[in-house]
Amino acid sequence: MSSSSYNLYEIAKEQFQAAADWLELDQASRDLLCTPMREYHFLIPVRMDDGSVHIFRSYRVQHNDGRGPGKGGIRFHPQQTVDTLRALAMWMTWKSAVLDLPLGGSMSGVVCEPHDLSLLEQERICRGYVRQIFRNLGPDWDVPAPELMTTSQHVLWMLDEYEEMQYAKSPGFMTGKPVGMGGSLGRLEATGYGIMIAVREALRELGMAPANSRASFQGFGQVAQYAIRLFQQMGGEVVCVSCWDQKDGKSYAFTRKKGFDLEELLSITNRFGEIDRLKAEALGYDCLPGEAWLEQDVDILVPAAIENQITAQNVDKIYPSVRLVAEGASGPTHPQADQILQQKGVLVIPDLLANAGGITASYFEQVQSNMNYYWRRDEVLGKLDIQLTDAYHAVSNFSHKNQLSLRKAATVIAVQRVARACHERGWI
């Protein structure tokens, strides 16, 4: 989505093939796991507020369900492509397997621009989406969730439409629901907190303390906001945050000498994670070009926006002090930049680990919804910490034992688990 020449699916397939080579998988296993098992391409006709009808393109990609029901988000984005969704669905399969969750991987996208749509128009898209695809989704088959530019409100509209069509209450149909409507406490924080749980363990291995570390973030949506909150609670210092400005059509980075105040910035941020530039400047923040987040004198970089943000063209702008990159977004580091970072001795926590808090908490919500019994927030976050910490150390130990990067170690572990499940089912 970030570049017309950048194909996320090709990169995902290359990562898979490298893991398959290491595992010496047979050709049938490669053919099955490298391609989505099912794809649905469909159109959503929507009556707009002005009375006209607009046709929205939409997709649902179900990569693999050998280990359990599909799990994956629904994106609203004007530049959404099916290849991006194929890559994200594949990574959801691997992510579930790395965390050892009984789930598969899937992903949806609706080609639209939420900034330009009223709430009523967005509701019509959500309900139209369900009417078109409900036969291929369900709590025992494939469970969607909110993702890029979708929220718990979108999920609730979809759930309501599904229950009307099924004539049954089915809170396990979707995750990411509002608390009190079948949603789980701790779900909002989970992805951001998960990033910092992984960072905490990585810093421990590097002999560093969070309280003595500084970080720069790309993105200021829900993921980055909660990651920043937990990082500050751990004693870390946030130096810079960058975000997109829809009005200007470009991104800006915000820094301030007297310190970064999360609550202050949240008060001038819209629901899309866009900081009001003029209000930030009035509060004393320096407004720099968006890529300045890469150039800060920090220990940790957290790309938490979209894919292909650290590239061969900008990786040399990263300050020599950086020891750690934690991928809060999916696919934010180009493979060429990844190799350069490895050569420089920068530890990269891959997205399969760093942003796996979301799918873990979604699984927890799915379990709670299906049994209609809900856990306390501290119980959810405690389970999340245990699950992610165990997964991090399993990948790290495998990495050290086999002299692999964390990314390749995580992919090998995941592919091996999924291939074994498919083999035991008799598929291959």
Side-chain angles (χ1 to χ4, degrees):
M1 282 157 43
S2 52
S3 171
S4 59
S5 62
Y6 178 78
N7 191 306
L8 207 64
Y9 185 41
E10 293 302 319
I11 290 173
K13 288 193 291 186
E14 288 174 11
Q15 293 174 354
F16 164 74
Q17 293 295 355
D21 288 344
W22 196 91
L23 290 165
E24 299 181 344
L25 288 187
D26 60 85
Q27 191 58 48
S29 298
R30 293 169 187 258
D31 291 344
L32 178 66
L33 298 180
C34 196
T35 306
M37 297 186 74
R38 290 170 295 275
E39 288 185 4
Y40 304 98
H41 297 212
F42 51 98
L43 302 176
I44 307 173
V46 172
R47 179 76 62 182
M48 308 301 282
D49 290 347
D50 63 4
S52 65
V53 175
H54 189 88
I55 309 300
F56 294 90
R57 286 181 290 120
S58 187
Y59 313 94
R60 184 69 176 178
V61 178
Q62 296 172 343
H63 174 257
N64 189 281
D65 53 14
R67 285 175 52 87
K71 192 79 191 73
I74 301 175
R75 291 183 155 202
F76 284 5
H77 198 282
Q79 298 174 8
Q80 189 61 68
T81 69
V82 69
D83 270 350
T84 297
L85 298 174
R86 287 167 179 153
L88 295 172
M90 181 184 290
W91 284 335
M92 289 299 286
T93 300
W94 309 148
K95 201 177 298 184
S96 298
V98 168
L99 273 292
D100 207 16
L101 304 175
L103 300 171
S106 53
M107 188 63 65
S108 275
V110 178
V111 182
C112 67
E113 175 52 270
H115 291 84
D116 300 334
L117 298 169
S118 71
L119 285 177
L120 279 175
E121 289 168 338
Q122 292 179 52
E123 179 179 355
R124 293 178 196 128
I125 291 174
C126 291
R127 294 184 182 277
Y129 172 92
V130 172
R131 288 194 295 271
Q132 294 293 74
I133 193 69
F134 80 98
R135 295 177 185 86
N136 308 109
L137 302 176
D140 301 318
W141 188 248
D142 186 12
V143 183
E147 222 250 11
L148 183 67
M149 287 205 277
T150 55
T151 67
S152 61
Q153 178 61 75
H154 296 99
V155 164
L156 193 54
W157 285 326
M158 292 181 180
L159 174 64
D160 184 69
E161 189 70 19
Y162 181 81
E163 291 182 338
E164 285 291 318
M165 298 181 74
Q166 297 294 100
Y167 199 64
K169 293 300 178 184
S170 185
F173 168 65
M174 301 194 80
T175 62
K177 303 180 292 297
V179 173
M181 296 296 293
S184 173
L185 294 167
R187 172 65 181 83
L188 287 178
E189 303 97 307
T191 306
Y193 277 20
I195 295 169
M196 285 303 129
I197 290 169
V199 164
R200 179 194 68 200
E201 299 306 309
L203 288 176
R204 186 172 294 156
E205 289 189 341
L206 293 172
M208 301 172 62
N212 298 325
S213 59
R214 292 152 54 90
S216 178
F217 289 74
Q218 185 197 33
F220 198 58
Q222 180 177 290
V223 173
Q225 290 170 15
Y226 282 109
I228 289 168
R229 187 181 301 280
L230 184 56
F231 183 62
Q232 290 183 328
Q233 289 174 4
M234 294 191 299
E237 179 185 355
V238 177
V239 171
C240 178
V241 62
S242 78
C243 66
W244 183 256
D245 189 309
Q246 179 69 14
K247 287 183 284 188
D248 292 349
K250 57 184 177 181
S251 61
Y252 295 100
F254 298 89
T255 64
R256 189 169 66 172
K257 290 182 180 179
K258 72 174 185 177
F260 180 96
D261 189 322
L262 177 60
E263 300 303 327
E264 189 175 60
L265 280 182
L266 287 175
S267 70
I268 57 170
T269 300
N270 68 16
R271 67 188 182 91
F272 297 104
E274 298 166 1
I275 298 169
D276 188 306
R277 179 170 57 87
L278 296 179
K279 290 181 180 179
E281 289 175 337
L283 291 170
Y285 286 89
D286 294 321
C287 183
L288 308 174
E291 205 165 77
W293 77 278
L294 273 176
E295 304 166 3
Q296 303 301 309
D297 181 7
V298 295
D299 308 290
I300 305 163
L301 292 177
V302 184
I306 59 174
E307 65 273 1
N308 196 32
Q309 296 303 295
I310 302 177
T311 67
Q313 288 69 46
N314 65 19
V315 68
D316 287 334
K317 295 181 179 181
I318 293 177
Y319 210 84
S321 63
V322 171
R323 302 283 305 281
L324 183 64
V325 173
E327 294 185 334
S330 294
T333 309
H334 192 280
Q336 292 176 345
D338 200 27
Q339 291 178 1
I340 294 170
L341 289 171
Q342 288 184 50
Q343 292 166 4
K344 291 184 175 184
V346 177
L347 182 65
V348 178
I349 309 176
D351 45 9
L352 297 186
L353 270 178
N355 73 5
I359 190 171
T360 304
S362 284
Y363 169 64
F364 293 161
E365 180 178 332
Q366 185 180 347
V367 170
Q368 294 171 80
S369 292
N370 288 341
M371 67 180 179
N372 199 27
Y373 176 79
Y374 292 88
W375 307 329
R376 299 186 307 272
R377 179 177 178 272
D378 59 350
E379 186 175 359
V380 173
L381 296 180
K383 291 176 184 292
L384 180 76
D385 197 329
I386 292 170
Q387 195 90 22
L388 293 176
T389 300
D390 287 350
Y392 179 89
H393 286 290
V395 172
S396 179
N397 292 339
F398 191 88
S399 167
H400 292 306
K401 180 180 178 180
N402 296 284
Q403 297 184 323
L404 301 173
S405 68
L406 287 180
R407 188 185 311 282
K408 188 165 184 178
T411 308
V412 167
I413 289 172
V415 170
Q416 186 177 46
R417 287 174 175 171
V418 177
R420 183 185 301 121
C422 294
H423 178 75
E424 290 174 350
R425 285 179 178 270
W427 295 354
I428 47 179

